[in-house]
Amino acid sequence: MQMPPSPPVPSPSAGTRTDGSSVRIGALVPLSRPGWAEAGRHLLAGLELAVREVGDTGGIAGRPLELVVRDTAADPRKAVAAVDELARLGVAALVGEYHSVVARAAAARADALGVPFLCSSAVLDTLTEQPTRWVARVAPAQSHGWRIYADFLLGAGHSRVAVAADPSAYWASGAAVLRDHLAPHGGSVVELDMRALTPAAVCDELVGRRATALLLLVGHPEPAVSIVRSVRRDRRLAETMIGAPAGQPEFGEWAALLGGEGTAVPFLRYLPEHLGPLGARVGKALRERLGRAPSFVAFEGYDTVTVLADVLRSGAGDRAGVAACWPRVDVEGTRGRIRFSRVPGTGVWQWAWAPVQVVDRDPADPERFRILHSG
């Protein structure tokens, strides 16, 4: 996305005042369609819980944190407008965002304006075209997680893989990672263009191409739900594995819409096999807040604010000071120790890495997740 010239924006003091006024943090979250609103709610729950706990433990030099939330609705233009608005409002930093293409637009604008942005959940490798000091990320890069998913596919005996794909930089990048990782092992990836195929036609393509696995690189709930139903109900495809590396089955809406048909669909999530004391405590609090088991996205939100609060408490006096602290981060998060480094191909300060699992919903108990592979 081409950005217009950037006017100067105020760079407020991040933590030097002690008059009780809040330290404002701008939060970018998809809360309405076509955004993945359930993921947005989980992300916001994690952000809000951590903000409350920062306030309960003294805030930032006596000042509470305040989230200023803007709904991006999976729209890059809305995200850019929100970054502009939040910069004018004088936020100390930006956090959040789930959708990769949206986060990339927000990161580019934050970089142009000189506003620190700690990305919570978006995984597209190149969040910025050029290396930037302003942007950091707690989610793993897509290439890291999807290579682990490709290892899972190979280990499960799937070398002829089809992907049902919508047009998107995120989906295209994921398909390329899978293709590059499978090819040296004799594997292949066939792309099925969902602009041209119905769910029923997808079934015919799978039979004709003798694919043993179909990966959903498409939007949720549609066309993902309709594709799953069509494949599950086609007797010719009884042995075909359906996968969803982007994590659609993580959320309750998937289980509510598909029931048993949505089980045994392996996906990526970014949690350890066992949470430590902090993760267990936060998980319990998130469950109470959400009314159901928290997704890994909620933990990402919590960890984002944990990192940013530590940076602000370290004495970062303004936006430039916040950005200068990324390489010095060393914080205990809910899923492990968080430190940032420069990872080639990302352009940002990156936690390398959050724990990665391939899991699915258990056919015997759709509310239970089975760990199939860890990276």
Side-chain angles (χ1 to χ4, degrees), residues 315-336:
D318 56 14
R319 288 171 176 164
V322 171
C325 285
W326 299 140
R328 299 196 293 273
V329 165
D330 188 352
V331 179
E332 187 63 33
T334 59
R335 299 162 298 143

Side-chain angles (χ1 to χ4, degrees), residues 164 192-205 223 226-227 230:
L192 308 179
D193 186 348
M194 293 312 299
R195 293 172 296 183
L197 295 174
T198 65
V202 168
C203 296
D204 294 335
E205 288 285 336
S226 293
I227 294 171
S230 292

Side-chain angles (χ1 to χ4, degrees), residues 96-120:
E97 196 44 53
Y98 178 81
H99 296 284
S100 282
V101 175
V102 178
R104 185 169 63 174
R109 193 58 174 166
D111 178 50
L113 295 175
V115 181
F117 174 32
L118 182 51
C119 182
S120 302

Side-chain angles (χ1 to χ4, degrees), residues 67-78:
L67 277 186
V68 185
V69 180
R70 293 294 180 267
D71 176 16
T72 62
D75 186 335
R77 293 169 299 177
K78 285 187 177 182

Side-chain angles (χ1 to χ4, degrees), residues 91-242:
V91 297
L94 302 165
V95 297
E97 196 44 53
Y98 178 81
H99 296 284
S100 282
V101 175
V102 178
R104 185 169 63 174
R109 193 58 174 166
D111 178 50
L113 295 175
V115 181
F117 174 32
L118 182 51
C119 182
S120 302
S121 298
V123 300
L124 193 67
D125 279 40
T126 51
L127 274 184
T128 56
E129 292 298 326
Q130 300 294 329
T132 175
R133 68 190 181 106
W134 295 103
V135 182
R137 174 168 58 185
V138 298
Q142 184 181 23
S143 59
H144 176 72
W146 287 48
R147 280 195 296 265
I148 291 171
Y149 195 91
D151 286 336
F152 159 73
L153 290 174
L154 290 169
H158 298 291
S159 59
R160 298 180 64 85
V161 177
V163 297
D166 281 334
S168 160
Y170 173 65
W171 298 126
S173 174
V177 171
L178 294 170
R179 185 179 297 107
D180 291 346
H181 203 68
L182 292 176
H185 302 276
S188 62
V189 174
V190 175
E191 290 195 44
L192 308 179
D193 186 348
M194 293 312 299
R195 293 172 296 183
L197 295 174
T198 65
V202 168
C203 296
D204 294 335
E205 288 285 336
L206 292 174
V207 173
R209 296 176 183 268
R210 303 198 312 278
T212 65
L214 171 67
L215 306 186
L216 304 173
L217 310 192
V218 293
H220 173 77
E222 291 298 338
V225 168
S226 293
I227 294 171
V228 171
R229 287 174 175 155
S230 292
V231 173
R232 292 292 198 217
R233 298 171 188 183
D234 191 318
R235 294 182 180 179
R236 299 173 298 171
L237 302 173
E239 302 301 318
T240 302
M241 188 203 86
I242 304 173

